[in-house]
Amino acid sequence: MPDKPTLDGLEDRWAQVWDEGAVYAFDRSKSREQVFSIDTPPPTVSGSLHVGHVFSYTQTDTVARFQRMRGREVFYPMGWDDNGLPTERRVQNYFGVRCDPALPYDPAYEPPAEPGKQQVPISRRNFIELCERLTVTDEQAFEAMWRRLGLSVDWSMTYQTIDANARAISQRAFLRNLARGEAYMSEAPTLWDVTFRTAVAQAELEDRERPGAYHQLVFRGPGGQDLPIATTRPELLPACVALVAHPDDARYQPLFGQSATTPVFGVQVPVVAHRLADPEKGTGIAMVCTFGDVTDVTWWRELQLATRPVIGWDGRFVPEPPPGVDGAAARAAYAELAGATPVTARERIVARLREAGEMLGDPRPITHPVKFFEKGDKPLEIVTTRQWYIRNGGRDEKLRTALLDEGALLQWVPPHMRVRYDNWVSGLNGDWLVSRQRFFGVPVPVWYPLDDAGNPVYDQPLIPAGGQLPVDPSTDVPGGYEPGQRGVPGGFAGDPDVLDTWATSSLTPQIAGRWSYDEDLFKRVFPMDIRPQAHEIIRTWLFSTLLRSHYEHGEVPWRSAAISGWILDPDRKKMSKSKGNVVTPTDLLVDYGSDAVRYWAASARPGTDTAYDIGQMKVGRKLAIKLLNASKFVLGFGEPAAGATVTEPIDKAMLAELAATITAATKWLEELDYARALELAESFFWSFCDNYVELVKDRAYGETPVPGIASARVSLRLALSAIVRLFAPFLPFVTEEVWSWWHDGTVHRAPWPSVAELGPATEDADPAVLAVASEVIAAIRKAKSAARVSMRTEVASVRVTGPAARLEQLARADGDLRAAGRAAAIDRVEAAGGDLQVAVAL
RNA sequence: GGGCCGUUAGCUCAGUUUGGCUAGAGCGCCUCCCUGACACGGAGGAGGUCACAGGUUCAAGUCCUGUACGGCCCACCA
């Protein structure tokens, strides 16, 4: 035990000891009932960790540590989510390369030492290798920070969402979905990001308010009459395939079944009725284009309208006019738009409409929500492409109900987060689009045979054998074919796409649990006990994991979903990199110490957004230091004599209070409410130091021959032991340090404190003895404080007036009270009334 | 447009599920104390019309209705 205990250096020292002793290693011989398994969120490896990570991962770690001390074998792996667009972009910039899946793999490839101006095209497999190379460095930095923070992860069980096992599992799960009919391919209008040139899924959308303007276009009705139509996208006029109004709209009922003529292009389009047309919007009749928005898609599909696509994959108008736009004037008008962006096309078409007098008035500016890819900065377009989907209940009422029912089986912490899930599942409007036209992801594991004309036969995909996984169809060859047959008639072609990052992330329980290649491990950890995650990815990660588990295992993948809150900066905004208000977590850990930062994180109620608050970290640091000093004090009395027992009423009272604290803290931690458990432990500890220790100090020193010396020393030790373990999940470093002063093993594998270990003393305890003594000592302190004298000052007299029962309790702490208050005697005067009156004369 | 969460001391938050003494804690602030675990400490003190308006009740921070403000999630862009 050091003379001057300090927090400095504890992190490095104990992190190393834990690592060398494999303190957090998972013992895979344990059965599922003995295991507590955590489906850890794999942080995105595309930069650095921020305070929000420290916050939420600490909260999970407190639960992991608690369960471990309770005797559960904790399965606590860590993954790195390095699969996806953010990494892809970094690799392009870092190495100066770009992925071209048409290129062959070069096993000897080395990137340029310095990125050049022109990005070098390389094969997908080479690109993935560079991604893996770059992310390794980041992952090491992440791991170092997690270790310093004290996460009790088994570091031998890390995974990457792009590593070979993850790719194999992702592909295997996809192929099993395909075999069971849960995955399918379809050519259909798709939300399309023109910057990244990829399809995106509903879960990746966000609405952004954007300025727009209603333009009133004059169509020609069947009788030649004017038919004004309001639209925010006049440039899509050549894509117009119908006009639609509500069936009950008397203004337009006479037109249903007839035709109207588009301005400028002179195309005849049907006037049709549909319930989604809103009589209140615009002129009550809308033009349907292929495709301006998702409502257009609905109308197009349900009303079986013509198809006149004008926007290409690059987001520009295609060179040739769509079918139906074939008059000479129409072709000439379209030629002005060909190759243009929608913005340019809009200006041109508006000019032409004005010229022809076919626009009414000026555009009326509005603000309206526009759909964006969450990572993109241009509005999404809708183009028709061939894509892979996984059925998710968006078009299947039975499946949707089943998924809602499974969501209800989860224990949601906090409970109201379930609403987010229910809303999302109820609002699904289509199946899950899982293919992406990107590169750094898990390849869609199929090839297609090529017919005699060299066209892919999409409905007869070639499937890899199970042992072949993971495959990259752009470099690997399907069974029965030769490499030379790639791309030639009668040969084969690989699917060029990758799977959505969530199509792999949705399998983290399977990846961490090594499903399909280590079934023995998987059955010991699955379904998992807890899924900790943030609320904004309930619609993606949580939902898709539940869906995949539903298909693959027919059950919910976890018992509990612990939804963490966000860190807010002092302006109540979410902390984020883009706002430039992110604090580097490493600096915090160095400045305040890991335990202090953990204390701040663990003080926040589960699921609650929390202000970034240095003040709380300072409090945590103070607590850790107090723990050092209190331990030094208690342990300074040495080992209690053999057979020493707790005999004094005040000692019993303290232990009874401790017992109540243990019981309540245990209950809260079992319910994942680490914050309440911490609050209880803390509150007990401060009262223990300020009241109990001060009261019994003199007796414990034993310099005067009073009874109960041994009782005080035994009680102090019993209490300290339990206190250190109560704090161990929250302050792993300082508790380990203190524990090491009088124990050999680690505190983090020591048993969680119990009421039983406190012995029989708590059974006949009267907790009021300590409460009354604390009240009287406080009154004595108050008198000294008011008189501005030292607490050591001798007191002339103390007279306590109150009911007999309370005086009797007071009498049982008389010796300790006189010693602590420096009072020769404490007079007790019986009187009616509930409260004690304490008169102190100095 | 629909939904969820929040609004309590200068600050950060408990307390609301199940209504019940004079609404709590910590930080900060003020005053004091170098006492043999700790001055990286200790003692004491000041500080709140519980966002607002109604309602239910013997009794409302707590239950009901509405409003405002803050935040979040979702939503078919005419």
Side-chain angles (χ1 to χ4, degrees), chain A residues 742-764:
Chain A
W742 53 320
H743 294 90
D744 281 338
T746 171
V747 71
H748 301 298
R749 289 273 181 183
W752 183 249
S754 68
V755 171
E757 74 185 41
L758 300 178
T762 60
E763 286 161 22
D764 62 340

Side-chain angles (χ1 to χ4, degrees), chain A residues 404-477:
Chain A
L404 284 169
D405 290 346
E406 290 186 10
L409 294 176
L410 272 179
Q411 181 204 1
W412 292 82
V413 181
H416 65 79
M417 288 297 179
R418 187 184 140 199
V419 177
R420 304 264 177 117
Y421 175 83
D422 289 349
N423 285 348
W424 175 252
V425 176
S426 306
L428 285 168
N429 56 27
D431 284 332
W432 177 15
L433 195 165
V434 293
S435 46
R436 295 289 181 277
Q437 289 64 57
R438 301 301 307 176
F439 319 111
F440 187 46
V442 175
V444 175
V446 298
W447 301 264
Y448 307 100
L450 298 178
D451 64 17
D452 294 342
N455 293 316
V457 185
Y458 286 116
D459 56 1
Q460 293 169 26
L462 302 165
I463 307 300
Q468 205 181 345
L469 300 178
V471 295
D472 182 348
S474 71
T475 52
D476 295 323
V477 175

Side-chain angles (χ1 to χ4, degrees), chain A residues 50-56 59 534-536 564-576 579 581-583 588 597 600-602 604 608-613 617:
Chain A
H50 55 83
V51 179
H53 285 115
V54 168
F55 179 73
S56 54
Q59 294 172 346
H535 51 69
E536 78 273 19
S564 62
W566 278 347
I567 301 308
L568 308 174
D569 70 13
D571 298 333
R572 305 264 88 186
K573 300 279 189 249
K574 185 194 175 189
M575 281 204 157
S576 70
K579 297 196 181 100
N581 57 4
V582 168
V583 181
L588 282 183
V597 176
W600 159 72
T608 308
D609 291 349
T610 301
Y612 170 72
D613 187 1
M617 299 178 202

Side-chain angles (χ1 to χ4, degrees), chain A residues 230-557:
Chain A
T231 178
T232 54
R233 298 202 64 183
E235 72 276 15
L236 293 181
L237 187 57
C240 179
V241 292
L243 297 182
V244 64
H246 195 275
D248 299 338
D249 193 330
R251 293 172 294 176
Y252 300 109
Q253 275 171 344
L255 302 179
F256 293 150
Q258 308 201 50
S259 289
T261 309
T262 65
V264 178
F265 297 96
V267 176
Q268 295 264 312
V269 295
V271 182
V272 291
H274 194 276
R275 65 187 195 293
L276 286 182
D278 183 352
E280 301 298 315
K281 278 191 181 172
T283 56
I285 184 165
M287 69 172 190
V288 183
C289 303
T290 53
F291 298 95
D293 62 34
V294 294
T295 315
D296 280 345
V297 178
T298 306
W299 282 327
W300 170 81
R301 192 174 57 234
E302 293 188 8
L303 300 169
Q304 305 199 332
L305 302 171
T307 311
R308 296 196 179 106
V310 294
I311 306 277
W313 287 18
D314 57 359
R316 291 171 179 269
F317 277 68
V318 294
E320 290 299 314
V325 180
D326 37 24
R331 293 188 69 88
Y334 187 84
E336 287 182 24
L337 308 182
T341 64
V343 175
T344 308
R346 187 174 309 161
E347 289 167 6
R348 291 181 187 164
I349 196 89
V350 165
R352 189 170 261 268
L353 283 161
R354 280 213 158 111
E355 226 169 79
E358 287 172 318
M359 205 176 96
L360 292 180
D362 286 324
R364 187 164 60 83
I366 54 158
T367 308
H368 62 163
V370 178
K371 286 204 182 308
F372 282 75
F373 176 35
E374 59 189 359
K375 295 188 169 71
D377 47 26
K378 281 192 177 162
L380 292 172
E381 295 292 347
I382 296 175
V383 301
T384 297
T385 53
R386 183 175 295 281
Q387 303 285 350
W388 283 99
Y389 295 84
I390 292 178
R391 300 179 203 280
N392 64 0
R395 292 181 175 160
D396 178 347
E397 201 52 45
K398 254 183 82 182
L399 177 56
R400 185 191 305 236
T401 306
L403 292 169
L404 284 169
D405 290 346
E406 290 186 10
L409 294 176
L410 272 179
Q411 181 204 1
W412 292 82
V413 181
H416 65 79
M417 288 297 179
R418 187 184 140 199
V419 177
R420 304 264 177 117
Y421 175 83
D422 289 349
N423 285 348
W424 175 252
V425 176
S426 306
L428 285 168
N429 56 27
D431 284 332
W432 177 15
L433 195 165
V434 293
S435 46
R436 295 289 181 277
Q437 289 64 57
R438 301 301 307 176
F439 319 111
F440 187 46
V442 175
V444 175
V446 298
W447 301 264
Y448 307 100
L450 298 178
D451 64 17
D452 294 342
N455 293 316
V457 185
Y458 286 116
D459 56 1
Q460 293 169 26
L462 302 165
I463 307 300
Q468 205 181 345
L469 300 178
V471 295
D472 182 348
S474 71
T475 52
D476 295 323
V477 175
Y481 288 86
E482 296 300 324
Q485 291 176 277
R486 183 182 295 277
V488 302
F492 71 94
D495 190 302
D497 293 346
V498 297
L499 292 168
D500 173 15
T501 185
W502 296 112
T504 302
S505 301
S506 59
L507 297 163
T508 51
Q510 289 83 357
I511 294 170
R514 303 181 182 176
W515 168 73
S516 79
Y517 66 98
D518 188 349
E519 286 295 335
D520 175 73
L521 175 69
F522 191 65
K523 74 167 199 270
R524 293 170 197 273
V525 300
F526 187 90
M528 302 216 170
D529 288 274
I530 178 174
R531 153 61 75 88
Q533 68 161 82
H535 51 69
E536 78 273 19
I537 51 175
I538 289 174
R539 68 174 179 171
T540 48
W541 194 33
L542 191 148
F543 170 68
S544 60
T545 310
L546 206 132
L547 176 71
R548 303 307 284 286
S549 179
H550 171 84
Y551 280 142
E552 201 54 56
H553 312 289
E555 62 182 318
V556 185

